Amino acid sequence: MVTSRNDAHQYILELYKKGVTVFLVNHIPDNCLALKKEITYLVVEDTLFALQQLASYHRDQFKIPVIGITGSNGKTIVKEWLYQLLKQDYTICRSPKSYNSQVGVPLSLWQLNQQHTLGIFEAGISEVGEMAILNQLIKPTIGVLTSLGSAHDEGFESSEEKLQEKLKLFSDSPSVIVNALSFDAKQINATNKVDLLISKTTEATLQVLEVENLFTHTVIIAKFNNEQISIHIPFTDAASVDNAITCWAVLLHLKVSQQEIEKRMLLLQAVAMRLELKLGNNNCILINDFYNSDINALEIALHHQKQQHRGGKKIVILSDIEQSGKLSWELYQHVAELLAQFQIDTIIGIGKEISSQKSFFKSNAHFFENTVAYILESKNNSELQFTNSIILLKGARSFGFEAISKLLQQKSHDTVLEINLNKLIHNINFYRSQIQKETKLMCMVKATGYGSGSTEIAFTLQHHHVDYLAVAYTDEGVELRKAGIHLPIMVMSPEESGYDDMIEYHLEPEIYSFKIANEFLKALQNKAISEPYPVHIKLDTGMHRLGFEEQQTSELCEWLQKETSLQVKSIFSHLVGSDDQAFDDFTNSQITSFENRANQIEQAIGYTAIKHICNSGAITRFKHAHYNMVRLGIGMYGVGFNSIEQQNLENISSLKTKISQIKKVPMGETIGYSRKGLATKPTTIATIPIGYADGFNRNLGNGNFSVLINQVLCPTIGNICMDMCMIDITNVSCNEGDEVIIFDTNEQLMNLSTAMNTIPYEVLTSISTRVKRVYVQE
């Protein structure tokens, strides 16, 4: 593709060296003519049009519901939240990141495959005529308009024209949902099809009645089908409220029950893209919003800053606003008035345009032509070093505000997960004592090493000569390779989008179906791999999750006999209840089935493969089924499956924090949200910086769990908050800054999982990535 900025043809040789062998081009560059035999060229007059036509044809192969999302703001958040809210009901294909342009949409549609039951794609435009093209690509069955703001105003004569252009995405859609909270719904004319209108007016299908901000969450009350309903979301900013309401309408349209919607909304997770709240240096709060830079988004961010203000100064660091459609003086006069309206104490403007209009801003304002100039000056200018402030970073991507964020944000968190590598080694050696010397050991480091950190765990395992590692997804394996891990790595949930990386980084896929097998073969052919590539054949012996079924065994054997480009490195299956004696008969039947089918496969391929079926729970209980490899997972991290096993294991991780503040609460007073915590006597409480956003589940509140301070158990009191909670320390002598142990021993970990009504797996893997991992080894 050739644009005014670049010519992609110049990168063909570089991409060929990385394994790309098929190119869509409008000419063959002279420096590539010698590679005509090695490279396949699809030569067309217009590469963008050809790409779109191919994507349109591909889209037509799938008769599934497709949600098309457009709007001035909120497209990506709504898309990602709909994915979070609907992923248990559908197998979803969605746009990666913000792939919503004339190029991004076709690339998004290419991801559709036969497994998907729902598509969610976003569409963005900057001028008239673009949406009709995207309409023919996405062909949405459900249209969603998130908002109407000033972004890309310069490409349209009026907001009405822009609205009509955006609605063209839905011109053929059976169902259309419009969020009109950001504009006058009267702009929608009679020719526009709208099935579900969101607004505050009585004409709305979903009429928003009240939005109540409760500091850490928001309650939204609305009327739908003449019934008053409500949701709670774990966000307080205006943008999140609008986006959640849009998602609410979509779920209602899809007939998800209101009761189920309420549950799912509480579990919404932030999308790491904009309006990120972080702890800054010198007791500051940092709001990162350097995703876009239009005037409407600035106002939304200022509202968020106001809501989060906890005293101290309000600082705004703002870049040039791009693509506003206004004259420079007119735009920045508006910006200055907006900042004055929100009573911003200090303004830092970065960019040539905003600097040229500095006369509109009050005296306590500083201007720099670029981000680097600001960073250099801030290190020496005391006026640019902030304390006890809430700082909003609002900038266009091109200004690289990530560097400012890194400079200002706090480098540590009082809550840490400490991982003892000596105990990890101890546990590995215990399981090694349970197997024969010739039996190989595969160790599971998926889900960030069960929450412990995959890279650091993998290095320790490599140093102690385990035979194999296993991860869930390709990107986990790539991360290990980039870190310097050279052990063989099996990928247990291979995805077509990751095959190129898998081959490039010498990762070995689990092959569990003919579809996966054929897709991977195609990837090998595209990469021109000549040597047999190692793969792992998964058999379903009763789990009924992934794997070839028993009736497919003969067909699988015939297929493997013919296919010489694959090397069957291992054959394996997964036991359902190896840790439970009640299921021993079923476990033995699985083992028998596996052994018979694995032998059939070996006879068919003519060589011996590694065979493994024993997981952590089976290693000590089913020694006759070790074959030539076992898989070690949760046991490696110190969780045993019976009392004898547990006696020989050590819990490798400790979750710790520190006391932030201590208070005396008189009898009769309440503690925390909803007044759930009651002081039945004069009570001393401590606030600790761990909440449900860290993985400390809300079920643990109101005395349902106790933490350890100076060897004394102290129960929680009141509800668990997002970032902190309160504990009753009346019976212990302690001070602010003292250590608080959430769990340290296996018994404490089991008590925590019991209080959460779950299993240790979930406890460990749900510990947030914002909790710093600290590794110790004696």
Side-chain angles (χ1 to χ4, degrees):
M1 185 173 174
V2 181
T3 69
S4 58
R5 295 183 179 181
N6 213 339
D7 182 355
H9 293 81
Q10 65 181 305
Y11 302 111
I12 290 177
L13 276 180
E14 180 181 346
L15 291 168
Y16 170 71
K17 291 175 183 178
K18 293 182 178 180
V20 180
T21 58
V22 181
F23 293 88
L24 184 65
V25 299
N26 64 16
H27 69 277
I28 301 175
D30 292 341
N31 64 346
C32 297
L33 289 173
L35 295 170
K36 286 183 71 173
K37 291 183 179 179
E38 291 83 4
I39 295 178
T40 300
Y41 295 102
L42 303 176
V43 184
V44 297
E45 183 176 345
D46 186 332
T47 52
L48 176 59
F49 180 72
L51 176 67
Q52 291 171 341
Q53 290 296 101
L54 288 168
S56 178
Y57 173 81
H58 184 69
R59 162 68 183 92
D60 288 340
Q61 309 312 302
F62 303 93
K63 308 302 180 185
I64 61 173
V66 169
I67 301 173
I69 304 171
T70 192
S72 298
N73 296 294
K75 294 183 292 293
T76 302
I77 300 295
V78 168
K79 176 201 68 188
E80 293 298 323
W81 278 2
L82 285 176
Y83 172 77
Q84 292 180 28
L85 294 163
L86 294 170
K87 63 183 178 181
Q88 60 189 282
D89 303 322
Y90 300 90
T91 301
I92 300 173
C93 178
R94 70 193 195 278
S95 309
K97 302 179 182 177
S98 296
Y99 280 34
N100 57 34
S101 67
Q102 300 291 306
V103 174
V105 168
L107 295 177
S108 300
L109 292 169
W110 271 115
Q111 297 183 103
L112 277 168
N113 61 51
Q114 296 298 332
Q115 292 181 328
H116 292 127
T117 58
L118 176 68
I120 307 177
F121 302 103
E122 56 177 294
I125 58 170
S126 57
E127 60 185 41
V128 173
E130 291 182 331
M131 194 60 87
I133 298 171
L134 299 184
N135 168 280
Q136 290 304 304
L137 296 177
I138 299 174
K139 302 177 181 71
T141 59
I142 301 171
V144 177
L145 179 70
T146 61
S147 63
L148 186 69
S150 63
H152 303 295
D153 268 356
E154 71 281 1
F156 306 92
E157 292 184 2
S158 64
S159 62
E160 288 80 7
E161 182 183 58
K162 181 162 66 173
L163 173 62
Q164 292 306 313
E165 180 69 16
K166 288 183 179 295
L167 290 174
K168 286 180 182 178
L169 179 63
F170 321 133
S171 59
D172 304 309
S173 300
S175 303
V176 178
I177 298 167
V178 173
N179 186 334
L181 291 171
S182 61
F183 66 97
D184 187 352
K186 293 178 181 178
Q187 293 184 49
I188 304 171
N189 62 47
T191 62
N192 299 134
K193 173 182 169 62
V194 177
D195 300 277
L196 200 161
L197 177 68
I198 305 165
S199 79
K200 296 182 179 180
T201 66
T202 55
E203 293 82 9
T205 320
L206 181 63
Q207 182 187 6
V208 179
L209 302 175
E210 185 179 353
V211 176
E212 184 179 2
N213 187 310
L214 299 176
F215 191 66
T216 61
H217 68 285
T218 301
V219 181
I220 307 168
I221 302 169
K223 183 185 285 188
F224 181 75
N225 287 342
N226 295 317
E227 180 183 351
Q228 185 167 302
I229 54 178
S230 66
I231 56 171
H232 293 233
I233 62 169
F235 303 94
T236 58
D237 62 278
S240 293
V241 170
D242 281 359
N243 293 333
I245 293 170
T246 302
C247 293
W248 190 9
V250 175
L251 267 64
L252 289 169
H253 176 76
L254 291 172
K255 308 300 182 187
V256 180
S257 72
Q258 173 61 24
Q259 184 179 11
E260 184 64 24
I261 292 172
E262 291 172 14
K263 281 195 257 182
R264 296 184 190 182
M265 285 289 181
L266 280 171
L267 301 175
L268 279 178
Q269 297 177 359
V271 179
M273 182 175 295
R274 56 179 120 180
L275 294 177
E276 296 177 341
L277 188 70
K278 296 184 176 182
L279 293 177
N281 296 322
N282 305 317
N283 203 34
C284 290
I285 299 294
L286 190 62
I287 300 173
N288 285 343
D289 186 17
F290 34 79
Y291 179 70
N292 63 15
S293 63
D294 64 84
I295 193 73
N296 295 83
L298 173 60
E299 186 169 357
I300 291 170
L302 289 169
H303 276 291
H304 185 66
Q305 183 185 39
K306 182 180 179 181
Q307 291 166 4
Q308 296 294 332
H309 188 225
R310 304 169 192 179
K313 292 185 176 181
K314 288 187 286 186
I315 316 294
V316 170
I317 303 177
L318 178 67
S319 78
D320 283 350
I321 293 177
E322 300 172 341
Q323 299 178 322
S324 71
K326 294 184 178 182
L327 295 173
S328 182
W329 70 266
E330 181 183 15
L331 170 65
Y332 290 105
Q333 183 181 41
H334 185 182
V335 169
E337 291 170 353
L338 195 60
L339 295 174
Q341 176 188 334
F342 280 87
Q343 299 178 321
I344 302 304
D345 298 291
T346 301
I347 300 160
I348 296 172
I350 297 178
K352 292 181 179 179
E353 285 299 314
I354 193 171
S355 297
S356 71
Q357 305 297 331
K358 60 185 178 182
S359 60
F360 288 114
F361 298 87
K362 60 182 185 180
S363 57
N364 198 15
H366 310 265
F367 295 89
F368 303 88
E369 284 202 355
N370 54 56
T371 300
V372 173
Y374 161 72
I375 291 175
L376 291 173
E377 180 68 14
S378 68
K379 293 178 180 179
N380 302 307
N381 187 339
S382 60
E383 291 186 352
L384 301 178
Q385 296 169 2
F386 309 113
T387 302
N388 298 319
S389 303
I390 183 163
I391 306 168
L392 170 63
L393 284 178
K394 189 76 185 75
R397 282 178 172 176
S398 58
F399 283 84
F401 273 21
E402 293 87 348
I404 301 176
S405 176
K406 186 176 181 181
L407 178 72
L408 297 177
Q409 73 186 44
Q410 195 176 93
K411 303 302 187 292
S412 64
H413 181 19
D414 280 342
T415 300
V416 299
L417 184 68
E418 185 177 280
I419 295 98
N420 189 311
L421 298 177
N422 294 92
K423 293 180 179 180
L424 174 71
I425 297 163
H426 168 87
N427 295 337
I428 294 168
N429 289 336
F430 166 72
Y431 283 104
R432 275 184 163 153
S433 73
Q434 302 299 302
I435 61 178
Q436 298 297 315
K437 288 184 179 180
E438 61 271 17
T439 304
K440 297 180 184 295
L441 186 62
M442 173 182 278
C443 293
M444 315 301 290
V445 291
K446 60 181 181 176
T448 322
Y450 288 64
S452 300
S454 55
T455 302
E456 292 78 7
I457 296 294
F459 268 115
T460 302
L461 296 174
Q462 181 169 274
H463 182 71
H464 287 270
H465 304 290
V466 304
D467 301 282
Y468 253 94
L469 300 178
V471 297
Y473 298 105
T474 301
D475 54 357
E476 295 176 321
V478 170
E479 179 184 350
L480 295 179
R481 284 283 185 255
K482 288 181 175 179
I485 299 299
H486 56 72
L487 286 172
I489 301 174
M490 179 175 76
V491 179
M492 303 189 75
S493 298
E495 297 173 323
E496 188 174 7
S497 60
Y499 288 162
D500 286 350
D501 282 344
M502 188 180 297
I503 295 166
E504 182 180 349
Y505 289 94
H506 307 290
L507 307 174
E508 302 173 8
E510 167 185 318
I511 301 296
Y512 57 80
S513 71
F514 289 114
K515 178 181 180 297
I516 290 292
N518 287 317
E519 286 175 352
F520 189 67
L521 279 175
K522 185 177 179 181
L524 290 174
Q525 292 165 3
N526 290 339
K527 287 281 192 180
I529 303 298
S530 57
E531 294 294 321
Y533 198 93
V535 298
H536 302 261
I537 302 299
K538 174 70 174 289
L539 303 179
D540 184 356
T541 57
M543 174 70 82
H544 299 315
R545 189 169 61 181
L546 296 176
F548 290 95
E549 297 180 328
E550 187 165 7
Q551 65 269 23
Q552 295 178 300
T553 306
S554 296
E555 182 184 359
L556 175 61
C557 289
E558 293 175 5
W559 188 85
L560 288 170
Q561 270 183 321
K562 297 174 183 176
E563 191 46 71
T564 57
S565 58
L566 298 180
Q567 177 194 9
V568 178
K569 196 71 177 180
S570 85
I571 308 164
F572 73 107
S573 188
H574 205 108
L575 296 174
V576 173
S578 60
D579 58 320
D580 193 335
Q581 189 174 353
F583 299 130
D584 281 0
D585 287 345
F586 187 79
T587 299
N588 281 310
S589 71
Q590 280 190 275
I591 292 169
T592 301
S593 173
F594 169 73
E595 186 167 330
N596 292 335
R597 294 167 64 189
N599 288 339
Q600 279 184 259
I601 293 170
E602 285 185 326
Q603 289 174 10
I605 60 179
Y607 55 88
T608 301
I610 298 171
K611 295 186 288 292
H612 50 109
I613 194 172
C614 282
N615 51 13
S616 293
I619 292 174
T620 60
R621 300 192 67 241
F622 294 91
K623 294 188 176 183
H624 66 285
H626 286 177
Y627 301 109
N628 43 14
M629 187 158 73
V630 297
R631 296 191 306 275
L632 181 56
I634 193 72
M636 178 172 65
Y637 301 93
V639 179
F641 292 92
N642 55 61
S643 57
I644 296 175
E645 191 172 300
Q646 194 59 66
Q647 288 172 8
N648 290 284
L649 298 175
E650 296 180 2
N651 179 47
I652 76 165
S653 53
S654 302
L655 184 58
K656 303 175 181 179
T657 189
K658 295 179 180 179
I659 296 175
S660 299
Q661 188 175 27
I662 292 175
K663 290 185 176 183
K664 301 284 187 180
V665 179
M667 183 174 65
E669 290 286 308
T670 59
I671 297 102
Y673 286 118
S674 304
R675 307 196 71 189
K676 292 292 185 181
L678 176 64
T680 58
K681 60 182 186 300
T683 303
T684 306
I685 67 165
T687 299
I688 58 176
I690 185 170
Y692 57 79
D694 301 295
F696 198 66
N697 193 283
R698 294 185 79 235
N699 291 334
L700 302 173
N702 301 302
N704 291 325
F705 183 71
S706 295
V707 300
L708 200 63
I709 301 177
N710 297 333
Q711 303 301 312
V712 177
L713 286 173
C714 303
T716 58
I717 185 166
N719 286 335
I720 305 298
C721 308
M722 181 183 288
D723 308 303
M724 61 194 77
C725 65
M726 286 68 75
I727 54 176
D728 186 341
I729 59 168
T730 305
N731 298 321
V732 62
S733 175
C734 57
N735 299 297
E736 293 177 358
D738 282 1
E739 184 178 74
V740 180
I741 296 174
I742 310 301
F743 67 80
D744 185 36
T745 66
N746 188 270
E747 181 183 3
Q748 292 164 351
L749 176 60
M750 295 302 294
N751 289 340
L752 179 58
S753 61
T754 299
M756 289 172 57
N757 193 30
T758 186
I759 56 177
Y761 290 80
E762 184 176 340
V763 172
L764 293 172
T765 57
S766 64
I767 297 172
S768 169
T769 54
R770 75 177 184 179
V771 174
K772 183 179 179 180
R773 271 65 173 172
V774 177
Y775 299 88
V776 297
Q777 187 168 13
E778 298 172 2

